Amino acid sequence: MATRLADQARVLRGLQDAVFQLEEVAGLATDIRHAIRRGYFDPGEDERLWRWFAAFLRVRESLWQSIHRASAELDDDLSGIQTRREWRWFVLGFTAASLLVRLDRLLVEGLAVHSLTQRKLNEASPVHGIGRKQYTRVFESLTNPDNALLARNALNFYEANRARLGRMADDPQVGVFIRELPLLSRSIDPDVLRYLYSRWRYRLHSLRRRGASLKQQSAFRILEAGGRLVAEVGRPSPPRARVVREELAALLRPGDVLITRHDHAASNLFLPGFWPHAALYIGTPGERKALGVDLPPDILARWGEEISVLEADKEGVLFRRLQDTLAVDSLVVLRPRCELDVIAQAITRVCRHEGKGYNFDFDFFRGDRLVCTEVVYRAYEGLGEMHFQLSEHAGRPALSAEDILDLALEGRLFEAVALFGVAGCRDSLLTEGGKLRACLLRSYRSG
């Protein structure tokens, strides 16, 4: 029994340190301010926010476990506490509850007060093992009437027995918590008006998100059904790029971007410009090893010998064989203008999105689903000198395949190293710089 209590005291000490570390949010708060001003989180800000939130949820779950363990050792009626062992368990449970409320207030009243942050944290992040609507779950727990009443009763009991607990301040197991409780317990604010205001905010948030979620889900289902139908429609014809596959396989380097077009795809009618699609060449296992790409074992298990492309299409964000990606009629190969270590970092980072769904409603900043050009954006954005200026498409900031081509033609971020399937190189692979640039320019915009 004493061993279990001592073990729990050590665990709680570690959790208290973790809470204090999570409170060091100056950099994260700056990210959030920048994102709100911009209207979206860029990939770097997105990743830092998710890392913090994943740690937040782990610590929070552990604090709940500590509360449940302490509660199991005590009767529901706190006034029945008699023995020193019971007082110790009360101290551990009340400390954990104080830390939990403190942590939840940090999120709800400190970091996620803007709807942009709330929407982001209500997305799922499979990479971090986070399900949907976690922010709403935390907000509901913080303002739940039953939880609030239990916390208030515990605070009242603590205040009534502060003198008695003070005599245990030198206790080798819980003394350190008793000395810190006067500060920690302030998180459990007994102000009824403050609680009612928080509960009112939660109800507004819940109603707003419920309506937005139903609207989004309905629209997404319609768009998904239409998108899948359109993706399947088209006149079957042998893809012309098959004649240059071997040349391309020899030319491609990890990190290269493939901009492609299938002439008879019905989806061309709904996507902007002549060049509608983008994919990322991530290399063969040998090329990846030479480059120093570092991936988790679960991703490596799905990256076989024939896999060399990461691509988002109607089936989701998946590893693909090069021959499947090159089943097109026209293509451009773009090479990033950055160091090899940046390319390795980009591939390592973007491969973590493998397995996510395709975003049929083209919301460029929904992290649990990606469109094709987001694979390129989330790979490179913010690394080294790589920075994309998003433009408005269908009323939303986004990056189209032709936006990426524009960068190459302007000599920024990428250079075009190969072109096939358009006037001037209809049946052969063009790699000569000046002519390539002229043919590419004519393919989708005037000089």
Side-chain angles (χ1 to χ4, degrees):
M1 186 75 69
T3 300
R4 185 162 65 242
L5 191 146
D7 289 344
Q8 187 57 41
R10 283 193 294 272
V11 168
L12 189 58
R13 192 62 178 170
L15 290 173
Q16 179 174 297
D17 291 341
V19 169
F20 294 160
Q21 290 174 8
L22 285 168
E23 291 178 331
E24 297 174 3
V25 295
L28 190 61
T30 299
D31 282 349
I32 291 172
R33 285 196 299 272
H34 288 166
I36 292 170
R37 189 178 306 118
R38 187 189 306 117
Y40 59 87
F41 287 87
D42 70 25
E45 294 163 350
D46 193 89
E47 176 60 26
R48 290 189 290 274
L49 179 63
W50 281 119
R51 281 203 304 266
W52 182 89
F53 195 45
F56 170 94
L57 292 174
R58 288 195 298 271
V59 172
R60 189 176 186 277
E61 179 62 26
S62 296
L63 286 170
W64 269 116
Q65 291 174 5
S66 294
I67 293 169
H68 291 322
R69 290 191 186 102
S71 297
E73 299 290 337
L74 301 170
D75 293 330
D76 292 337
D77 184 6
L78 293 177
S79 63
I81 292 178
Q82 298 291 331
T83 67
R84 192 174 185 87
R85 181 190 68 82
E86 290 173 332
W87 281 108
R88 285 170 169 168
W89 276 112
F90 168 76
V91 169
L92 294 181
F94 185 59
T95 299
S98 298
L99 288 168
L100 177 67
V101 175
R102 178 180 176 129
L103 195 59
D104 284 359
R105 288 197 185 281
L106 170 66
L107 177 70
V108 172
E109 299 177 0
L111 287 175
V113 294
H114 193 278
S115 59
L116 179 73
T117 314
Q118 295 168 5
R119 288 197 303 271
K120 174 58 65 176
L121 295 179
N122 265 336
E123 293 176 2
S125 179
V127 171
H128 300 90
I130 298 175
R132 295 178 63 245
K133 299 185 179 180
Q134 292 304 299
Y135 168 78
T136 296
R137 185 172 71 89
V138 173
F139 201 170
E140 193 282 330
S141 177
L142 178 63
T143 61
N144 181 280
D146 293 336
N147 291 345
L149 182 60
L150 288 172
R152 174 71 179 273
N153 289 341
L155 177 63
N156 290 342
F157 183 77
Y158 164 71
E159 294 290 354
N161 290 278
R162 283 185 68 167
R164 181 169 188 169
L165 288 169
R167 293 192 291 273
M168 294 175 60
D170 293 328
D171 186 278
Q173 293 181 320
V174 300
V176 63
F177 302 115
I178 292 173
R179 295 192 295 272
E180 294 172 350
L181 270 176
L183 176 61
L184 294 179
S185 64
R186 293 179 189 173
S187 301
I188 304 176
D189 191 338
D191 189 324
V192 174
L193 289 178
R194 181 179 179 179
Y195 166 75
L196 291 174
Y197 174 68
S198 296
R199 186 63 180 174
W200 174 74
R201 281 184 58 225
Y202 167 73
R203 295 301 300 165
L204 284 181
H205 165 82
S206 180
L207 290 170
R208 185 173 63 249
R209 293 308 306 153
R210 191 177 304 165
S213 179
L214 288 172
K215 181 179 178 181
Q216 184 182 55
Q217 288 177 24
S218 298
F220 183 82
R221 289 192 186 99
I222 293 170
L223 289 165
E224 181 179 21
R228 289 186 180 278
L229 177 62
V230 165
E232 298 295 340
V233 174
R235 188 178 66 191
S237 61
R240 290 188 293 110
R242 70 189 189 281
V243 300
V244 292
R245 284 178 188 167
E246 291 185 7
E247 286 183 80
L248 282 166
L251 172 76
L252 286 168
R253 298 177 188 172
D256 285 353
V257 175
L258 291 158
I259 307 294
T260 64
R261 173 184 174 84
H262 195 298
D263 288 342
H264 303 295
S267 56
N268 291 343
L269 299 173
F270 304 95
L271 296 172
F274 176 83
W275 297 99
H277 188 68
L280 184 70
Y281 182 74
I282 53 178
T284 64
E287 289 172 327
R288 180 194 73 232
K289 183 177 180 180
L291 194 59
V293 174
D294 183 23
L295 294 174
D298 61 320
I299 293 179
L300 291 177
R302 297 189 295 279
W303 192 342
E305 287 294 330
E306 294 188 340
I307 297 297
S308 59
V309 178
L310 184 66
E311 185 173 8
D313 64 12
K314 69 182 189 302
E315 301 302 329
V317 185
L318 301 172
F319 291 137
R320 305 284 299 276
R321 300 181 304 170
L322 181 61
Q323 65 191 66
D324 296 329
T325 298
L326 295 182
V328 295
D329 295 299
S330 307
L331 62 91
V332 189
V333 178
L334 302 181
R335 186 151 294 154
R337 294 175 177 267
C338 55
E339 300 298 325
L340 293 179
D341 62 324
V342 172
I343 294 173
Q345 188 178 351
I347 293 173
T348 299
R349 181 169 76 169
V350 78
C351 283
R352 301 183 69 195
H353 294 284
E354 181 264 340
K356 292 184 176 181
Y358 186 73
N359 197 340
F360 287 95
D361 64 357
F362 293 90
D363 182 349
F364 209 69
F365 306 107
R366 180 175 173 176
D368 56 341
R369 295 176 180 273
L370 274 63
V371 298
C372 65
T373 51
E374 263 189 284
V375 172
V376 179
Y377 176 74
R378 291 186 177 273
Y380 285 112
E381 171 62 26
L383 299 182
E385 300 298 321
M386 303 294 282
H387 177 68
F388 299 90
Q389 185 67 43
L390 302 183
S391 56
E392 190 169 293
H393 297 276
R396 291 174 171 174
L399 183 74
S400 72
E402 291 188 355
D403 289 338
I404 303 174
L405 289 177
D406 285 343
L407 291 171
L409 287 172
E410 294 163 9
R412 296 188 293 124
L413 305 189
F414 297 93
E415 66 172 316
V417 297
L419 176 65
F420 173 83
V422 299
C425 54
R426 184 74 63 183
D427 301 310
S428 61
L429 193 65
L430 178 60
T431 58
E432 191 276 314
K435 185 177 179 182
L436 188 159
R437 187 180 188 282
C439 292
L440 177 57
L441 191 62
R442 287 196 301 270
S443 72
Y444 76 104
R445 65 173 179 153
S446 64

